[in-house]
Amino acid sequence: MNKILLSSPTMHGEEMKFVQEAFDRNWIAPLGFNCDGFESEMSDYLGRGISEHFYTLALCSGTSALHLAVKLAGVKRGDTVLCSDMTFSATVNPVSYEGGIQVFVDSERETWNMDPRALEKAFEKYPDAKVVVLAHLYGTPAKLDEIIEICKAHNAVLIEDAAESLSATYRNRETGTFGNYNAISFNGNKIITTSGGGMLITADESARNKAFFWATQSREKAPWYQHKEIGYNYRMSNVVAGIGRGQLLHLEEHRELKEKIYFGYKRAFAGLPVTMNPYLPYTRPNFWLSCMLIDNNCDVSPMTVYEKLASCGIESRPIWKPMHMQPVFMHNDFIFADERPVDEDIFARGLCLPSDIKMTEDEQNGVIDIIKSCFCK
Ligand SMILES: *Cc1c(COP(=O)(O)O)cnc(C)c1O
């Protein structure tokens, strides 16, 4: 068998047409028609079917989009920020860039995302918290109604980390459009990629303009270089944006293929002591990564499956290790509402499975057979 990957870039050829145009017009440097085109096409995509308009800013990474979101939210040195705990470190690192202090919030079992009950508890302990950073793990929308209500009750700004969830919807509205400031990623492993890149999304035009200012070195309007604030070089290049425009044409197709992979696993695991990463019935995940959770009365460890797959050239990956378990965040607080932390349990029993859309049905069946063989003695 060929090597089978978790999730890798899939190009279609149209990307090259936009890139070629950038070369033909000798328009390579930051900013330009592909950046403008990509931003407005993404804005149209995110706002389809609803009356609101979203302002978008193409950036060099999802992490830089999150950083600008944290700055827009006004996080200052010493501020408490309530954050998803089970996620990639890039969700929460930007809080540290601004000197804020993350308080981590446990997950619930219905979507594996931030538990609204734990969030409420965190606000009781930290009534001065003014910002919440929420990730939609593996492309599954979080409990947005509950979380937004809690944020409103506490006058808190919501930042959505939709890096993994582009094209996932909650009650027919795109994730990445619910928070005050939102981020998506076009990193190589995401559902569509620009090789590397990200985007900031907000309904607030002046916020978008401020973020543009910061992302382009905080240049004041003057013929010379005039600066009143610290700036960043965070813009996406016109070449890279061309890749994104071509990929966006295939986003729905990618989502459908991911969904097919998820249900392929789900059907095949019917008789095993295993469930798939869950989602709410009124949401449409993008199924970026299919994950399995081994029943807690079963003595097969996810690492056994991981190693067996690896020995066959198949990539899998443990669930994101919760932030409160990371040495770098050893001194940060962690709030959970259940008797025991839910995310520690998901981390201990879960595994991300190959979800590459270039994986054939035969290849997926091969992966499934190997997984099944781990459960029969
Ligand atoms: C990928 C990812 C990011 C960071 O995006 P980059 O484009 O790699 O900087 C942030 N948060 C989550 C949850 C991610 O998966």
Side-chain angles (χ1 to χ4, degrees):
M1 261 199 322
N2 294 328
K3 201 166 162 43
I4 299 176
L5 299 172
L6 209 63
S7 185
S8 70
T10 303
M11 292 294 131
H12 301 274
E14 270 139 320
E15 299 84 357
M16 203 53 215
K17 282 192 259 165
F18 293 104
V19 171
Q20 190 63 49
E21 194 185 346
F23 275 75
D24 291 345
R25 292 168 64 179
N26 196 34
W27 204 333
I28 305 303
L31 315 188
F33 60 91
N34 275 333
C35 289
D36 296 343
F38 191 31
E39 284 173 353
S40 72
E41 286 149 17
M42 277 296 303
S43 167
D44 290 346
Y45 177 84
L46 293 165
R48 57 202 200 288
I50 56 178
S51 55
E52 250 172 290
H53 180 79
F54 300 103
Y55 297 91
T56 48
L57 181 66
L59 298 163
C60 61
S61 65
T63 308
S64 54
L66 284 160
H67 183 196
L68 296 179
V70 166
K71 280 178 74 72
L72 286 168
V75 173
K76 297 277 178 315
R77 186 154 302 279
D79 288 356
T80 298
V81 179
L82 308 179
C83 300
S84 287
D85 182 53
M86 190 165 69
T87 183
F88 182 38
S89 62
T91 305
V92 305
N93 280 337
V95 171
S96 297
Y97 304 166
E98 292 303 311
I101 299 162
Q102 301 87 346
V103 166
F104 297 114
V105 181
D106 196 14
S107 297
E108 33 78 5
R109 293 194 187 274
E110 287 163 280
T111 74
W112 294 6
N113 292 304
M114 186 186 278
D115 180 356
R117 292 172 311 142
L119 179 63
E120 185 59 61
K121 221 173 138 182
F123 271 117
E124 278 161 29
K125 187 163 175 189
Y126 297 94
D128 294 336
K130 281 283 160 275
V131 180
V132 172
V133 183
L134 169 72
H136 302 289
L137 210 66
Y138 303 128
T140 301
K143 292 189 172 177
L144 279 160
D145 284 345
E146 293 86 337
I147 288 168
I148 288 168
E149 199 183 306
I150 295 168
C151 287
K152 282 198 177 131
H154 295 274
N155 265 321
V157 169
L158 177 65
I159 295 173
E160 264 185 285
D161 178 357
E164 301 178 357
S165 68
L166 176 58
S167 84
T169 60
Y170 181 94
R171 297 193 196 281
N172 294 319
R173 180 184 167 124
E174 296 290 323
T175 57
T177 65
F178 288 87
N180 303 71
Y181 315 111
N182 314 295
I184 51 183
S185 166
F186 307 110
N187 190 39
N189 58 353
K190 298 302 192 311
I191 190 155
I192 61 169
T193 181
T194 58
S195 73
M199 203 169 266
L200 179 78
I201 302 150
T202 176
D204 176 352
E205 187 177 12
S206 65
R208 192 267 180 200
N209 294 342
K210 187 75 204 194
F212 175 89
F213 171 78
W214 284 326
T216 50
Q217 308 285 21
S218 298
R219 279 182 71 181
E220 300 292 335
K221 280 198 179 66
W224 51 86
Y225 281 78
Q226 175 82 9
H227 303 284
K228 292 191 210 156
E229 284 184 65
I230 295 296
Y232 303 85
N233 181 7
Y234 275 174
R235 278 294 266 168
M236 183 179 272
S237 96
N238 200 42
V239 175
V240 159
I243 305 175
R245 296 181 80 182
Q247 285 271 285
L248 185 54
L249 300 170
H250 295 273
L251 176 54
E252 282 306 310
E253 175 190 330
H254 286 199
R255 201 203 67 81
E256 277 163 28
L257 290 166
K258 294 271 190 194
E259 179 169 2
K260 196 157 162 262
I261 291 169
Y262 177 93
F263 284 102
Y265 285 124
K266 195 175 168 85
R267 266 194 310 278
F269 294 160
L272 295 185
V274 153
T275 50
M276 297 297 293
N277 47 331
Y279 58 93
L280 299 169
Y282 46 87
T283 65
R284 184 189 82 155
N286 71 1
F287 301 99
W288 174 57
L289 290 188
S290 290
C291 309
M292 67 176 200
L293 188 69
I294 301 173
D295 291 356
N296 59 27
N297 56 6
C298 171
D299 60 3
V300 175
S301 146
M303 286 318 282
T304 308
V305 181
Y306 171 91
E307 272 151 30
K308 187 79 181 282
L309 289 170
S311 72
C312 304
I314 299 164
E315 188 183 27
S316 65
R317 198 202 280 149
I319 300 298
W320 294 124
K321 184 175 180 176
M323 290 299 113
H324 81 274
M325 298 169 76
Q326 302 286 356
V328 67
F329 296 120
M330 184 165 91
H331 301 296
N332 296 59
D333 200 0
F334 169 56
I335 309 289
F336 55 99
D338 272 23
E339 228 165 280
R340 286 190 199 84
V342 167
D343 64 8
E344 285 181 20
D345 178 51
I346 295 171
F347 174 62
R349 297 192 286 118
L351 189 69
C352 305
L353 302 176
S355 309
D356 198 290
I357 57 172
K358 291 178 295 319
M359 175 169 66
T360 65
E361 218 173 301
D362 279 353
E363 285 173 329
Q364 190 182 1
N365 287 333
V367 173
I368 287 165
D369 286 343
I370 295 163
I371 294 170
K372 281 184 170 168
S373 75
C374 299
F375 290 90
C376 46
K377 306 243 161 61

